[in-house]
Amino acid sequence: MATGRICTLPNYHSEHNLFPIGYVSIRTHASMFQKGQRAKYKCEILEGDNRPIYKVTPEEDADHPIIKDSSTGCWVYICQKVNDLQDVKK
């Protein structure tokens, strides 16, 4: 876990949020691979080309991180996989 460093470029903050480069956290959420199980996900904010890159790595499949332009993009992908596993109707 790391708090990261503040970047003053406009895309690394908003009126209400900071997106520190190097931030790392661990989150427990529903597994994308095992129905009814929970898993750990490593969440990171990386330095991109004038904008942050969001990387979420599932502990169950560390060789295949989810990398998107937003944290929301990562979690939408994960939630879709969890829903598919649960046979949730859309």
Side-chain angles (χ1 to χ4, degrees):
M1 305 249 277
T3 56
R5 67 176 170 81
I6 303 300
C7 179
T8 58
L9 292 173
N11 291 332
Y12 285 89
H13 61 86
S14 69
E15 184 176 332
H16 301 286
N17 299 300
L18 296 173
F19 311 109
I21 298 167
Y23 174 83
V24 179
S25 67
I26 304 294
R27 176 180 178 180
T28 302
H29 187 70
S31 170
M32 294 190 299
F33 304 101
Q34 298 181 47
K35 185 176 182 176
Q37 298 295 313
R38 298 192 59 79
K40 291 183 182 178
Y41 295 84
K42 181 179 178 182
C43 309
E44 301 174 78
I45 300 175
L46 308 174
E47 186 170 11
D49 190 23
N50 293 318
R51 62 179 172 72
I53 300 294
Y54 299 85
K55 178 179 174 183
V56 178
T57 306
E59 183 180 66
E60 299 168 296
D61 191 14
D63 291 335
H64 298 96
I66 297 114
I67 301 171
K68 303 284 183 184
D69 292 336
S70 71
S71 175
T72 300
C74 291
W75 287 101
V76 164
Y77 176 86
I78 291 166
C79 289
Q80 287 173 339
K81 292 292 189 183
V82 170
N83 288 344
D84 290 347
L85 188 64
Q86 304 296 328
D87 299 322
V88 172
K89 302 293 182 215
K90 296 176 184 159

